[in-house]
Structures are given as structure tokens and as C-alpha cells.
Amino acid sequence: MHSERQRMYTRALLGVFTGGLALVLGLWSWSTFASASLTASPSSPRQNDTVTLVGTGFSPGETVSVWITYPDFTVYGVAEIATNGDGSFSFPYLPDFLGAAFTPTGKYTYTAFGQSSGREVYATINVDIGQAPGTSAGVKLTAEPRRDSQGSYYVFSGSGYGTDEEVAVWLRYPDNHVEDLGRIQSGPSGVIEYVLYVGGVPVGHYAFTAQGLRSGANGITEFDVRVDDLTVATGRSNLRVSPSPDNQRSYATFEGYGFKPGEVVTVWSTLPDFSTLWVGDIEANDDGAFVAVLYLSEQEPVGKRTYTAYGNTSGLRATADYTLTPGGGPGSNPYVEPIPNGICEGEGCLY
């Protein structure tokens, strides 16, 4: 009887121990699985390199939204990825997804957000300038600025290329991103010429490259662009933009007055790099005033900017400074749209 009772106690204790062990193992397994992570390799790529994103610790089969934050804090969606059975994914990704030949250099941050688990993790990379050919022997390429400021014409003259060959030309901007300018044709003596107009581009140091597609002859010349005022005003009016500062994914209210009644007022923005971006046109009311609202998305660069309102009939001009800060919106996820309030629709709209 005593031994039977002892066996029952032993079985009960073993059951409690086994159940407790299973609970501990279950908690350990869940906590391990719940610890999501994201890695990006290589962590220090050059422009136009492929970066592989590896995520772990998400729910099996869930959709993970991945987006990237640029050095200027603009945000772009990368992909929506379904995880494997173990809650992981591997995604090879070329940062240059916006169509430019090379992305700007600097620090980028990837964000991965599990749509069902709610887990959010980050990985950063530092992009360095890509390898480029140097100047070939016998090739001469020069830049002659008509003016060295915004609104200038630059004339690029080169020699030492092949006879009647196609020459590729491209432009490196101050942030080191590259724009493909297309193809030109050299003359019978291997001479080229290219005219470039720079309007409201970023100010800073540029490099122009021309490479012969048949001969491989390569030329590089550098030049600078300074800030300039490209509009002539006849007088001053008034503009207020509020609230400032405010986050990306917010609405800015424009209030202008002192313009000619009924005239069309053009509004543009001078960004932190001093490049200009057209915002829209609006018609002033009978009192020469207007009120308008503009949505500033996560794809707007952060920092201090200046908005300009210019009366196309009166020539009156008004400016207002505005500071945009990073973030805002529901998790700053570019795949999740903010709740519209019916004020503004479409890209760059202003009503």
C-alpha cells in the first residue's frame, strides 16, 4: 500500500515536472522565435551593388513590409515579402530602384515590419561612391560656364575620341548620384560638344563624364553650381505656411494675400540643397488672397525649405520658411496610407 502510494506521488511529480518543462521550453521557444532580426550585407556597399536582406523571427508565412530610408530621410517602399515556414526570408535588392544609375552616397536604413506579428526591425548600410574609369591618355574634356550659378549654360568640349563614334555622357551630382544624359556623336576628328542647362538644380560640385563606346576613350571634367535667384519680382506680397516644424506625412496650410485679384499664383519650394521643386498653381480670390493645403509625404526630404508664391500677372512675390522633420503617419510604413481628409489629392497638388 505504501509503495503504491509512493508510485502515485512519483507519477504526479513527474507529470508536474514534465508539464513545467514543456511550459519552460514553450516559453523559451516563443521568446526565441519572437526575437526578430534584420541584416543587410554587405554593410558597406558601393553604388550599384546588390544588398541582400535577411530577416528572421517573424511569423511563418506572414507578409513582411520592407522599406528604405535615404540619407535625406526620404522613405520608399522596397517590397512585401512572404516569410518561409520558419518565419525567415532572404531578399537580394539593388538600392538603385528609383531608376538612377547610382544612388546617393551616405547612410541608409532598412525597416522590416511583420504585418501580422507587428515585429519591426532595422538594418543600416553605408553606401560609398562606385568605381569609375579615370581619364584616358590623349583625351581632353573641358567645361566652360556661361555663368557658374543656377540658370547657367555649360558648354563641354572634348577631343581625343574615335572618328564618328557614339559617346555616352553622364553627370555626377553633389550627393554623388549619377544621371544618364544619353548619347552624342563625335565628329570626323574625334571632337565632341555638349551643352547643359542647369536650372533649379542642387548647388555644389559636379562632374561631367564622356566615354566613347567604341574606343573606350574617357574624359572627366568638374564644375561648380552656385545658388541664384531666377525670378524678378516687382514687389512683395505675403505668405504663411503652417504648422512648422511638422513631420513627414502631414498637411501644410498655405495662406497668401496681397496679390492681384483673380491672378494665377505659382508656388514652388526651395529644398535644403537649394534645388527647386514646382508645387502648383492657384487662383487668388477677389481680394487677392488664397488658402490652400498640401500633403507632404514620406518621400519629401527633411530639413528647412523655403516656399515661394509668385503672382504671374502682378509680379509680386512672397516667401515663407518651413521645416520638415522625419517620420509621422501610421508607423511611417509607406505601404500603409494615412487617413485622407479630402483636402488634397495627387502628387504635388495644391488647391
Side-chain angles (χ1 to χ4, degrees):
M1 184 68 180
H2 175 74
S3 61
E4 180 64 26
R5 186 180 294 112
Q6 188 175 17
R7 283 195 295 270
M8 291 177 61
Y9 286 154
T10 302
R11 284 197 296 269
L13 288 172
L14 285 173
V16 171
F17 175 76
T18 303
L21 181 62
L23 179 61
V24 170
L25 289 173
L27 289 173
W28 178 84
S29 175
W30 180 86
S31 64
T32 302
F33 178 77
S35 181
S37 67
L38 180 68
T39 59
S41 59
S43 59
S44 299
R46 288 184 177 272
Q47 292 170 317
N48 226 31
D49 283 350
T50 298
V51 173
T52 300
L53 303 175
V54 176
T56 61
F58 294 93
S59 297
E62 82 167 312
T63 299
V64 177
S65 297
V66 180
W67 61 91
I68 185 171
T69 303
Y70 267 49
D72 62 0
F73 291 95
T74 55
V75 180
Y76 299 92
V78 173
E80 291 192 318
I81 307 167
T83 62
N84 301 321
D86 60 355
S88 67
F89 67 84
S90 179
F91 184 72
Y93 171 71
L94 188 69
D96 168 33
F97 65 97
L98 295 177
F102 301 102
T103 55
T105 55
K107 180 181 178 180
Y108 292 75
T109 299
Y110 291 97
T111 301
F113 174 78
Q115 293 187 6
S116 58
S117 67
R119 295 163 192 151
E120 185 170 296
V121 287
Y122 313 92
T124 61
I125 60 173
N126 288 281
V127 177
D128 198 0
I129 193 167
Q131 294 180 336
T135 300
S136 302
V139 174
K140 183 180 180 181
L141 185 64
T142 60
E144 179 189 343
R146 301 291 175 87
R147 290 188 306 162
D148 58 349
S149 58
Q150 293 170 320
S152 303
Y153 285 92
Y154 288 81
V155 179
F156 302 96
S157 302
S159 61
Y161 294 92
T163 300
D164 297 321
E165 79 167 325
E166 193 175 25
V167 178
V169 292
W170 62 89
L171 186 65
R172 190 185 72 215
Y173 278 70
D175 65 358
N176 292 322
H177 88 268
V178 176
E179 180 183 350
D180 185 356
L181 299 180
R183 306 288 184 267
I184 58 176
Q185 196 79 17
S186 68
S189 58
V191 172
I192 63 169
E193 183 174 278
Y194 185 89
V195 179
L196 176 69
Y197 173 74
V198 293
V201 299
V203 301
H205 195 64
Y206 289 76
F208 178 86
T209 302
Q211 185 177 63
L213 298 183
R214 187 180 71 244
S215 66
N218 194 69
I220 303 172
T221 185
E222 300 180 5
F223 62 99
D224 295 293
V225 176
R226 296 183 294 108
V227 68
D228 199 2
D229 188 352
L230 303 182
T231 59
V232 178
T234 61
R236 297 191 61 173
S237 50
N238 300 277
L239 178 67
R240 180 174 180 267
V241 186
S242 61
S244 177
D246 204 357
N247 294 339
Q248 294 165 313
R249 289 201 162 202
S250 62
Y251 291 89
T253 301
F254 292 70
E255 300 174 83
Y257 62 95
F259 294 93
K260 184 176 180 179
E263 75 172 322
V264 174
V265 178
T266 298
V267 180
W268 67 86
S269 174
T270 302
L271 300 177
D273 61 2
F274 293 99
S275 63
T276 56
L277 178 67
W278 177 82
V279 175
D281 293 329
I282 186 169
E283 184 176 355
N285 62 20
D286 292 340
D287 296 323
F290 65 85
V291 176
V293 175
L294 177 68
Y295 176 62
L296 300 173
S297 75
E298 70 278 359
Q299 295 180 4
E300 293 278 348
V302 304
K304 183 180 177 181
R305 57 178 62 192
T306 299
Y307 285 100
T308 300
Y310 181 80
N312 287 276
T313 303
S314 66
L316 297 172
R317 181 175 63 185
T319 61
D321 291 336
Y322 185 89
T323 300
L324 189 65
T325 55
S332 297
N333 183 348
Y335 293 101
V336 180
E337 292 299 324
I339 300 173
N341 61 6
I343 296 179
C344 184
E345 298 178 357
E347 181 180 356
C349 65
L350 186 62
Y351 297 100

